[in-house]
Amino acid sequence: MWGLVSAARRRQAVSWGLAWGASLAGMVLAGCAVVLSAEPAPAAAVCTAKAKPDRVSALAYAKSCKKSVAVTDATTPTTSLVANAEGTFTVTESVLPQRVRRADGTWASVDLNLRFNGDGTVSPGAAPTSVVLSGGGPGPLARTAENGQQLVWTWTGYTLPKPTLDRTVATYEEVLPGVDLKMKVDEWGFSEVLVVKAATAATSSELTSLRFALSGTGLSAAGAAGTARTPQEAVTGTFAIGDAYMWDSTRPSTAPSDTLPEDARAEGESTIDGPGSAARVAQMPMVMQGRTLVITPVQSLLTDPAAKFPIFIDPKSSSPGRSHWTMINKGHPGQQYWSYDRGSHAKVGNAGDTVNMYRSLFQFSTAAWRNKHVTAVTFANNLLYSWACSNTTTQLHISSQTLSSATTWNSNASSWGGSLATVSNQNCKWAPSVASEFTSSALTSAVHSARANASITIGLRAANETVSSDGSNGWKKFDETSGAGGAHLSVTYNTAPVLSNLHTDAGYLRHHRGECAIAVDVRISCPQSRSEGHRDRCRGGQVHGHVHLPEGRRRYQQHGVPERHQWCESTAGCRHPGGRDTQRRHLLLDRDCLRRDRLGVEDLLFQD
């Protein structure tokens, strides 16, 4: 809702609220180069298309064929758009890339499974970030490319064996005596983990420090000059180098009860994806020496007689800068999960270990619906697993913070608002495709309110955050991957016309058919581009609108238009008394306005 409260604001755009002269099926009014779309409405007999190339043709097709249709030129790795029959658009934003553009311009689904290339190197099938791993021998350990920049990692002084491949992991066995190297790719790059298999291997002098030479156009000016002090200073903003951790395989002192589900018992096991719930964890120092990244494993953990093997050394590697999802954990309130312990999905609740209480957060760009009128919202995310085999409730909240590597329970938990939507379900058998769809009028209102922000952060938590030993607190794992069941936000919106150059004069104030009325000239223009579809409210061929007087906020109706109204199929079907771009309307006021002195547009408040 926009108010016209001063004459100085007459030249400003007025909001969607007075939906006059909207452009539908490609019709565009003042401020756009073309008035009517040249593309005719499709005949019912040809309503077989699944996609149209742009918003104008898609909207015309959707309205004529009475079904939604995809808009291909709006597709990105994380975004898809459909035009709806009623004249709205629905955009779906995925938290991780869902598709990769091929060289020929077509799209392929993300496929992170590794395979050997013709030159012997190793790459995923179709990854959002280009990754090439060593196929063995001397030379670079890995190359990543993004935004026309490349960052090359070389493990100084080592010749690697040919790896064995298992889905997203390449294993280079015995790179050091008793030590395997495992390289794992994800949507954004890769990580490398050294698996120290026994205490005899942990004493190797080659584990005193790990040295990786960095090169390529992904280096910053300081990185290329060899003057960077930290790893992040050494690379451009396209890339990120996460903190380096190491952890052992210590398990809980009390063995998990056999009554716990397998997944909950597995929380005590350390893997290359992260430490178990009782593991000893240490952060490793990282410094730049010229163009070489030097990581120093913590010797006190490697040589401690109480340490349990294998020990995992994770010098987190090149991942392009990202803002998508993370977790916070009340049991470890200072721990970040931006680049740590992310391999066992997006967690919610407590797994019966009396310590951990997880929440998961997902961040989405609002660019596709910025400053639109949001009419419906659904957040969807497949439930991969639940401890309980009976339904437990998960809540959806909005966090007022953007996500980063500094996001922890301490920094983030207080930013959560109230619950906006809930889902009650279970999946204790790891059944595929168990959808969790959160939707409510409160969620729609919250997303609409955030439409001017750069992003919005969705948070999931268990409705009951007390520790339990039976799963009643809602321990669940949600899909964080780039697959079809990964977290995504669907937003239906309408783009309204902008009213500008409103003009009136006190001289227009007069009786009209025995009522007090004021004439207003309204010019309608497009807010963005002629490709946006708008809806026009009218009945009986006349455009419908309302005004409020600021005092008392009483609603008055435009002359000749009943209170009940419908959506027009096309602006072309509506009568525009003053021409396509300018309309003179007599706005009825009650007889109190006769006592007002020189009432003008600046005294009126327009509202849908």
Side-chain angles (χ1 to χ4, degrees):
M1 181 172 69
W2 293 52
L4 302 178
V5 295
S6 68
R9 294 182 62 184
R10 294 178 189 174
R11 295 180 298 275
Q12 293 181 344
V14 181
S15 82
W16 68 277
L18 233 188
W20 291 359
S23 66
L24 274 178
M27 181 165 187
V28 180
L29 304 175
C32 299
V34 180
V35 174
L36 292 175
S37 171
E39 182 173 340
V46 295
C47 291
T48 57
K50 295 182 179 179
K52 285 290 182 177
D54 54 54
R55 289 171 174 83
V56 172
S57 60
L59 191 63
Y61 181 92
K63 288 178 62 61
S64 176
C65 294
K66 308 299 183 186
K67 67 177 185 178
S68 298
V69 64
V71 183
T72 55
D73 72 356
T75 302
T76 73
T78 58
T79 304
S80 63
L81 182 70
V82 298
N84 301 314
E86 64 271 22
T88 61
F89 290 97
T90 298
V91 61
T92 298
E93 288 283 341
S94 301
V95 74
L96 289 178
Q98 299 288 299
R99 60 197 70 84
V100 177
R101 191 184 288 276
R102 299 186 181 98
D104 62 2
T106 60
W107 293 96
S109 297
V110 170
D111 176 11
L112 298 179
N113 290 308
L114 294 171
R115 72 258 347 244
F116 285 99
N117 300 316
D119 62 359
T121 58
V122 175
S123 293
T129 299
S130 174
V131 179
V132 180
L133 304 180
S134 171
L141 172 64
R143 303 172 186 265
T144 54
E146 180 80 1
N147 296 333
Q149 300 178 14
Q150 179 177 250
L151 190 61
V152 181
W153 291 67
T154 302
W155 192 9
T156 307
Y158 290 91
T159 299
L160 299 175
K162 183 177 179 179
T164 57
L165 308 182
D166 181 11
R167 294 182 292 183
T168 62
V169 178
T171 300
Y172 303 81
E173 296 182 354
E174 295 292 309
V175 291
L176 299 173
V179 179
D180 293 342
L181 170 65
K182 291 182 178 287
M183 303 283 288
K184 183 174 182 178
V185 299
D186 62 17
E187 289 83 357
W188 305 104
F190 68 93
S191 63
E192 70 271 27
V193 178
L194 289 170
V195 183
V196 183
K197 295 180 284 188
T200 52
T203 60
S204 170
S205 60
E206 294 181 271
L207 292 178
T208 302
S209 67
L210 306 172
R211 303 176 65 88
F212 299 93
L214 305 181
S215 59
T217 55
L219 291 179
S220 65
T227 58
R229 295 167 298 176
T230 66
Q232 200 53 51
E233 286 182 1
V235 296
T236 67
T238 296
F239 298 97
I241 299 177
D243 295 333
Y245 289 90
M246 57 188 295
W247 57 90
D248 78 343
S249 295
T250 298
R251 298 179 62 86
S253 55
T254 301
S257 169
D258 290 340
T259 61
L260 291 179
E262 179 182 354
D263 176 79
R265 294 196 300 271
E267 286 295 304
E269 299 177 5
S270 293
T271 69
I272 65 169
D273 292 320
S277 57
R280 301 174 61 188
V281 180
Q283 185 170 351
M284 296 181 289
M286 297 193 300
V287 297
M288 292 300 299
Q289 293 181 0
R291 295 187 183 181
T292 298
L293 170 62
V294 181
I295 302 171
T296 305
V298 178
Q299 297 301 306
S300 59
L301 179 54
L302 280 173
T303 59
D304 189 335
K308 303 299 181 183
F309 289 85
I311 290 177
F312 302 87
I313 300 175
D314 179 18
K316 182 61 68 175
S317 290
S318 167
S319 294
R322 54 186 171 185
S323 55
H324 47 92
W325 80 278
T326 191
M327 297 178 290
I328 57 176
N329 183 355
K330 188 176 183 180
H332 297 280
Q335 176 63 54
Q336 60 83 16
Y337 293 86
W338 184 256
S339 58
Y340 175 74
D341 189 21
R342 298 166 60 88
S344 53
H345 309 298
K347 305 172 188 176
V348 167
N350 171 268
D353 59 10
T354 74
V355 176
N356 297 290
M357 182 64 69
Y358 286 94
R359 298 178 181 181
S360 288
L361 298 108
F362 308 88
Q363 185 168 295
F364 301 90
S365 168
T366 63
W369 68 88
R370 189 162 301 152
N371 296 322
K372 310 293 187 184
H373 175 55
V374 176
T375 61
V377 176
T378 299
F379 173 80
N381 195 3
N382 277 6
L383 175 62
L384 299 177
Y385 176 79
S386 67
W387 179 350
C389 291
S390 57
N391 289 347
T392 58
T393 299
T394 305
Q395 296 177 344
L396 181 148
H397 298 244
I398 299 291
S399 166
S400 61
Q401 292 184 358
T402 56
L403 303 181
S404 73
S405 59
T407 299
T408 66
W409 183 280
N410 285 339
S411 68
N412 179 265
S414 63
S415 73
W416 289 47
S419 175
L420 299 176
T422 61
V423 165
S424 184
N425 58 3
Q426 61 86 18
N427 187 15
C428 65
K429 303 297 185 182
W430 291 91
S433 303
V434 177
S436 297
E437 294 188 347
F438 298 81
T439 187
S440 70
S441 58
L443 176 59
T444 298
S445 178
V447 173
H448 179 73
S449 297
R451 68 194 185 279
N453 299 340
S455 63
I456 187 169
T457 303
I458 303 289
L460 297 183
R461 54 158 285 182
N464 178 6
E465 287 195 327
T466 59
V467 173
S468 77
S469 59
D470 60 1
S472 61
N473 66 338
W475 170 250
K476 294 178 179 178
K477 292 185 175 183
F478 289 92
D479 190 351
E480 86 295 356
T481 69
S482 57
H488 57 273
L489 188 67
S490 294
V491 178
T492 299
Y493 66 84
N494 179 49
T495 304
V498 170
L499 306 184
S500 61
N501 299 326
L502 286 111
H503 172 74
T504 188
D505 188 282
Y508 289 134
L509 184 61
R510 65 185 185 277
H511 280 84
H512 183 80
R513 297 187 181 179
E515 300 287 348
C516 180
I518 187 167
V520 180
D521 292 339
V522 179
R523 178 164 294 167
I524 305 168
S525 60
C526 299
Q528 291 185 342
S529 71
R530 68 184 183 88
S531 65
E532 296 286 1
H534 308 310
R535 297 188 296 185
D536 188 20
R537 278 188 174 176
C538 67
R539 183 176 174 82
Q542 293 184 345
V543 178
H544 181 272
H546 291 97
V547 296
H548 276 179
L549 289 177
E551 296 181 13
R553 301 187 62 80
R554 290 160 295 186
R555 174 169 285 191
Y556 303 96
Q557 188 179 322
Q558 180 187 327
H559 173 67
V561 181
E563 188 68 36
R564 188 164 56 91
H565 51 262
Q566 300 173 341
W567 293 117
C568 280
E569 284 299 311
S570 170
T571 313
C574 301
R575 181 163 57 86
H576 294 261
R580 280 199 182 93
D581 64 346
T582 303
Q583 305 168 40
R584 174 158 294 176
R585 286 308 198 200
H586 292 100
L587 304 176
L588 290 183
L589 312 175
D590 73 2
R591 295 184 184 277
D592 289 343
C593 78
L594 291 173
R595 296 190 292 271
R596 292 180 180 273
D597 182 26
R598 299 185 63 80
L599 180 67
V601 165
E602 60 270 24
D603 300 306
L604 303 178
L605 182 68
F606 286 81
Q607 178 174 304
D608 182 27

